Each structure stands twice: as structure tokens, then as C-alpha cells.
């Protein structure tokens, strides 16, 4: 190592070293004399304000800082710095604004130090443009506001201790506890199993460690003694060697009531004596109400399918945002949050927010009212349906093979997409049960009088004993928590009543890539004079 005796350096060499250091800095550096004149600015400082070195040395502080609008104001500030010289060895750090040569004002962080050189007082100021930091802070605040305005109940839970780390505004309002009160509680203090078929907290915490994400049903107890049923989507994320569980819950009181009413109506229908005219008339009236309720439930189920797909795509970025925000807060409280960690965390939050924004754009069109028939390309509608169901199918690695003729339909586009989504979801659920390569084939073609859209899979087909029942209302082979049994029924109703067509199911054996497969095929058959 070469040792340099600074005392032996000539003054011009010292000045050269200082000036070189200032020029190499990535911050703007200004020297300001007692009169407020800028006597020196490094290259970054000149570039930030848009002046040349000659121009900037003809300026005063109040020419570039709108908040120091006069020499009198600067003199007061300069005096304050000189009086506090010994109290602030590291200088004074504060936020302000600067104005460029073109008149643009931008936020800055200023670190200034009072110094004496050649018996004359000066201020040396290091200035950093903080426009990006302020923008990221505002975006982070926006994300927290989103968590608080959503209608869902959101908790962040420490997996090891089972204590609540964070609860959003909706959780506090619906359960009646403050955030501070929640932080003194374990999840088991206010969450119980919904019924004998739903899991208790210890089992959930064991299973979430194996599956990373899952959906549960439970009962939330409120501070006032009341309770309400919830459906909760759980996912687990690790941050700095700590596992956290993100719980997003929805109040399903109305759904539970509908299920109870549905079971009650089904029981009544079984017990009716069809030989008694009065009871038959009563049954017809109740069936009419039952059908209205079923149409309403179908509409809600369709929206639920879409929201579930949005939730699939939002779950990870929301989890990342929540964990990053909580982690940065804990780091800040512990004094561990430095610039690099802060900027890295905020960059990750920004990246995930862009993904959330794109998801909103992709799904927004589906939820728009669609009361009139429109003309659209069939393949475009199929692509939309595949997008809506893609996130829920991603883990299954399903390969979709399309063979679509260039055909157009004139009908209710969103309802047509809803039917396609139902058929794709039905195929997806069937493909879950096989361990081999999974395929969905979509074919669109026409005859002289009809347009046919076919969706088939390689899941082995539908059992002949139940094939004729798949279009019956509330018939399902799935567990109640996984399906209502109205998807295919309402799909047939839409095709038959709204599109004047037919929805047909069959089993088909076929060959693909030299391999033989068998699967269910659903065919939408529309008359050309009705569809064009």
C-alpha cells in the first residue's frame, strides 16, 4: 500500500483531489457563500438544474430553490446553520425542492454542512433527487389503501407463533377489534371450524406447511359475541427465514342461507304427494321461486368463478406486497432498513403492482353488462375464456390444442364466454384425476346450416350411469365445497334459451400423436340463421 503524506502535497494538488472527488460523486454538490451565491457546482449539480458551470456560478440560492425565495430568507437559514455548527457534526438533512433552468420543480433531499475556509463561512450542500422515492412511497400508500378498501377480510399471521401480525380495516370493522388487539391474539382465539366437516386451526397449520395454499371454511367470532361464516384462501410465504400465512376471507352468510334453503326445498319436493292438487300447486309456486333463486345463484357463481381466477393471479403479488411492506416496517422499527433494502423492496412492490394492473385490464371486459347481441369472432371469445380459466389450470400443465375456423357469431358474447368457461372448468376438474399428459381440444367448424364448437378432454369420459344427468340442476360429482352443480345446467339453459341452439355431451375415443385417448366431448350446436 502506498502511503501519502498529505502535509507534503501542494495546495493545488489538494484542490485537484477535492474537485475530482466532487466530480465523481453521484450526488449534486454545491458550495454557497454567505451572500447566497453558488460559487461551485459539480457536473451532477449542473445537469440536475440544466445550467452550465459558468451559468450556475452567476446564480443565487433563491434562483434554484423556490422555498428560499429571498436573500433575507437565506440569511436566516445561514445564520441558523452557523449557530448550530457544533450541535450537528454530520450536517443538517432536510427535504426541499429545486427548480431547473426550464422552470420544472422537483423534490430533493439536502444535506448541508457549515464550514470555514480561509476564514470565510460557506455552506456545502449534497443534494439528491427524490422524485422516484416519493412516487414509490405514494404507490405503497395506495397499496395499503387498497388492502383497506377491499371487501375481503385480510390477515397476516406468523406461522410459528400463530399470532396475527396485520389485519386490514375490513377485518377490524367486521370483527370489532383494533389492529393492536388483533396482534395480541392467535388465530384460534377468534376462528373456529364451521362444522364437523371443516378443519380446526392445528390441522390447517400442519397442512398449509405441506400445500403452501388452500381454501378453508370457518366461523369468525366477533368482539360483541356474534359470529359469521367465512370462506378463507390461505397461502404461505417466507420472508427472512420466517414463514407467514396470508389469509383472505369472505363472508359467506348469504351463501350458507341459500344452501340451507336449497336443501329444505329439495326435501319438500321429495315429500310432496303428487296426487293432491293443492300440494302440486304449492310445489309449482315454490319451484318458480326456486328457479329464480337458481338463476341468481348461477349469475353469482359465474362471477365467483371469475373472482376466483382473479384471486389466483392476485394472490402471489398481493402476498409479496403485504410481506414486503410488513418486513420493511419491522426492519425500520429494528433500525435494519437501509437504502439498498428499501429500494429493492419498493422495486419489487412496483413490479407486482404492474402485474395486478394488467390482471384488472384482462378481466374488466367480462364484468361489463352485456344485454344486447353483438358480432364477434369465435376464436377471440375462446381465447378470452382460456385467459379467464388459465390461472386455475396452471398447476395442472394442461396443453390446449385449438383448430378454429374463422367464423363469427351474433349473440350474447359474455354469456357465450361463460358457457365456454364452464366447459373448460369441467374439463379441468376431470383432468385433475389423471396422472398422464393432460389435453383439452377445441374445434370450431361449420356445416351448411350449423356452427359447431367442440370442447373435449382426455380424462377417460363420463360414466354412462351419470352421463344423462350432467345437465340436471345441482347434480355434481364434486364435493359441495368445490362445485354447486349448476354450471352445466345453466350452460345448457343459455345455449338453448338465449342462443336457440343445443349443448350435447358424448364420450369419444380418438388418436393424437399416435396415442389413443378417450374423453368427454361437449358440443355447442348453433343454427346459422340464428347465430349470424
Amino acid at each position: 500500500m502506498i502511503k501519502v503524506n498529505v502535509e507534503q502535497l501542494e495546495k493545488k494538488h489538494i484542490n485537484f483531489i477535492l474537485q475530482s472527488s466532487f466530480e465523481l460523486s453521484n450526488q449534486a454538490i454545491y458550495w454557497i457563500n454567505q451572500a447566497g451565491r453558488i460559487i461551485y457546482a459539480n457536473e451532477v449539480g449542473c445537469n440536475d438544474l440544466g445550467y452550465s458551470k459558468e451559468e450556475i456560478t452567476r446564480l443565487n440560492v433563491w434562483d434554484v430553490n423556490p422555498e428560499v425565495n429571498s436573500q433575507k430568507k437565506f440569511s436566516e437559514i445561514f445564520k441558523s446553520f452557523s449557530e448550530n455548527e457544533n450541535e450537528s457534526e454530520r450536517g443538517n438533512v432536510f427535504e426541499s425542492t429545486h427548480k431547473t433552468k426550464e422552470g420544472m420543480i422537483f423534490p430533493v433531499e439536502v444535506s448541508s454542512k457549515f464550514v470555514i475556509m480561509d476564514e470565510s463561512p460557506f455552506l456545502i450542500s449534497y443534494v439528491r433527487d427524490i422524485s422516484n422515492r416519493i412516487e414509490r412511497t405514494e404507490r405503497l400508500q395506495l397499496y395499503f389503501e387498497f388492502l383497506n378498501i377491499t371487501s375481503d377480510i385480510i390477515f397476516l399471521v406468523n406461522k410459528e407463533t400463530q399470532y396475527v401480525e396485520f389485519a386490514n380495516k375490513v377485518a377490524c370493522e367486521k370483527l370489532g377489534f383494533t389492529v393492536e388487539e388483533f396482534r395480541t391474539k392467535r388465530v384460534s382465539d377468534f376462528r373456529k371450524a364451521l362444522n364437523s366437516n371443516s378443519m380446526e386451526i392445528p390441522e390447517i397449520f400442519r397442512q398449509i406447511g405441506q400445500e403452501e395454499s388452500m381454501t378453508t371454511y370457518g366461523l369468525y367470532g366477533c368482539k360483541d359475541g356474534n359470529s359469521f361464516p367465512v370462506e378463507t384462501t390461505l397461502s404461505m410465504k417466507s420472508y427472512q427465514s420466517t414463514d407467514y400465512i396470508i389469509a383472505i376471507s369472505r363472508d359467506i352468510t348469504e351463501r350458507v342461507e341459500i344452501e340451507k334453503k336449497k336443501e329444505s326445498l329439495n326435501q319438500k319436493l321429495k315429500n310432496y304427494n303428487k296426487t293432491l292438487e293443492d300440494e302440486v300447486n304449492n310445489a309449482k309456486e315454490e319451484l318458480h321461486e326456486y328457479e329464480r333463486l337458481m338463476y341468481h345463484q348461477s349469475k353469482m357463481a359465474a362471477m365467483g368463478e371469475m373472482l376466483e381466477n382473479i384471486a389466483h393471479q392476485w394472490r402471489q403479488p398481493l402476498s409479496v406486497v403485504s410481506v414486503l411492506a410488513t418486513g420493511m416496517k419491522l426492519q425500520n422499527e429494528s433500525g435494519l432498513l437501509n437504502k439498498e433494502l428499501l429500494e429493492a423492496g419498493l422495486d419489487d412492490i412496483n413490479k407486482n403492482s404492474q402485474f395486478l394492473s394488467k390482471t384488472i385490464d384482462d378481466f374488466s371486459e367480462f364484468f361489463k353488462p352485456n344485454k344486447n347481441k353483438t358480432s364477434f369472432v369465435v376464436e377471440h371469445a375462446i381465447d378470452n375464456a382460456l385467459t379467464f380459466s388459465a390461472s386455475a389450470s396452471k398447476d395442472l400443465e394442461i396443453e390446449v390444442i385449438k383448430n378454429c375456423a374463422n367464423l363469427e357469431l351474433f349473440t350474447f358474447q359474455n354469456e357465450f364466454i361463460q358457457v365456454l368457461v364452464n366447459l373448460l372448468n369441467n374439463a379441468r376438474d376431470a383432468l385433475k384425476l389423471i396422472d398422464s399428459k393432460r389435453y383439452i381440444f377445441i374445434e370450431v367448424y361449420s356445416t351448411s346450416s350449423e356452427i359447431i364448437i367442440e370442447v373435449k378432454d382426455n380424462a377417460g369420459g363420463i360414466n354412462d350411469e351419470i352421463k344423462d344427468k350432467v345437465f340436471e340442476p345441482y347434480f355434481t360429482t364434486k364435493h359441495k365445497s368445490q362445485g354447486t352443480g349448476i354450471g352445466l345446467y345453466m350452460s345448457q339453459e343459455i345455449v338453448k334459451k338465449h342462443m336457440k341452439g343445443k349443448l350435447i355431451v358424448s364420450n369419444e375415443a380418438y388418436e393424437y400423436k399416435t396415442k389413443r385417448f378417450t374423453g368427454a366431448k361437449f358440443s355447442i350446436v348453433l343454427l346459422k340463421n340464428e347465430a349470424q
Side-chain angles (χ1 to χ4, degrees), residues 2-19:
I2 299 174
K3 295 183 179 180
V4 178
N5 188 342
V6 177
E7 295 180 353
Q8 296 178 356
L9 291 175
E10 297 181 2
K11 184 177 181 180
K12 63 179 180 179
H13 292 154
I14 296 175
N15 290 338
F16 175 76
I17 292 171
L18 288 174
Q19 185 173 358

Side-chain angles (χ1 to χ4, degrees), residues 69-86:
N69 53 14
S70 67
Q71 185 172 12
K72 180 181 178 182
K73 179 71 173 178
F74 174 78
S75 296
E76 294 173 355
I77 295 173
F78 193 90
K79 181 181 179 181
S80 174
F81 275 101
S82 65
E83 291 174 349
N84 296 321
E85 175 187 5
N86 296 326

Side-chain angles (χ1 to χ4, degrees), residues 293-348:
L293 183 65
M294 191 160 47
Y295 269 97
H296 174 73
Q297 187 179 357
S298 170
K299 190 177 296 183
M300 297 302 293
M303 184 172 288
E305 287 281 349
M306 293 302 101
L307 291 175
E308 183 179 357
N309 280 284
I310 294 175
H312 271 283
Q313 296 203 32
W314 277 35
R315 191 169 295 127
Q316 182 176 358
L318 277 178
S319 299
V320 171
V321 168
S322 180
V323 170
L324 283 172
T326 304
M328 286 189 292
K329 181 178 179 182
L330 293 174
Q331 287 178 323
N332 186 49
E333 292 173 352
S334 304
L336 301 175
L337 185 64
N338 56 33
K339 172 191 167 189
E340 289 77 17
L341 288 174
L342 176 63
E343 291 186 349
L346 292 175
D347 286 341
D348 284 343

